[in-house]
Amino acid sequence: ELDAEGRMASVSFQSAAMGALFARFPHALLVHRACAPSGRALYIFLADGPCLAVRGAAGRVVHLAVPRDESARGLARMCEAFRAFNPAWWRTRVLLVGPDLPEPVALGQAFPAAEVRLSAFHVCKHLQEQIHRLGLEHRAEQLLLSTLQPMC
């Protein structure tokens, strides 16, 4: 999508292989948000669930998007693009998100049959970051991180 000056405002990308993976596993999506130093966010949609036999995060990616902005409207437009790429979007039942998602309601409205839930992956990552920030001695930090490891 271009802005009024003809510059790139938002991007949505999905290969045929990504679309085929989502068509096979549409029930659960992990929505990961990564921010650039410029403040723009990249949203990575990953297929998730117990039946998914793909190993590693890269093999589970079903869609990539950089929204115009992270307002409710910007995220709604991002979801509209996702739905245009994926006719099976209505079969999604769970959206797993991180605690830093700016407008979780927008995702819930775009996927009315899905529950928006906090993902264990994001909670574990957040706890690991907090443990590192505590500045504990190495042994204590490693003990806490190893205790957390089975949950992550």
Side-chain angles (χ1 to χ4, degrees), residues 3 8-10 23 31 49 53 63 78 84 94 98 105 114 124 146 148 151:
D3 65 14
M8 190 65 66
S10 66
V31 181
H63 191 82
M78 175 185 74
V94 177
V105 173
C124 285
S146 66
L148 188 59
M151 295 185 299

Side-chain angles (χ1 to χ4, degrees), residues 71-142:
S71 66
R73 175 88 175 115
L75 295 182
R77 289 177 77 162
M78 175 185 74
C79 290
E80 288 170 15
F82 178 91
R83 292 188 336 214
F85 275 102
N86 297 289
W89 69 268
W90 61 271
R91 294 175 50 206
T92 301
R93 297 294 178 253
V94 177
L95 294 169
L96 301 167
V97 300
D100 62 344
L101 184 71
E103 295 285 344
V105 173
L107 266 69
Q109 290 173 341
F111 294 86
E115 292 182 57
V116 178
R117 296 194 168 219
L118 194 58
S119 84
F121 166 80
H122 288 96
V123 170
C124 285
K125 185 176 175 183
H126 178 75
L127 289 174
Q128 289 168 341
E129 290 170 359
Q130 294 303 313
I131 289 169
H132 288 300
R133 287 186 187 147
L134 289 173
L136 301 171
E137 68 176 49
H138 181 73
R139 186 166 186 244
E141 182 177 288
Q142 290 305 306

Side-chain angles (χ1 to χ4, degrees), residues 17-29:
M18 295 164 125
L21 179 63
F22 180 75
R24 287 181 44 222
F25 300 100
H27 296 97
L29 283 173

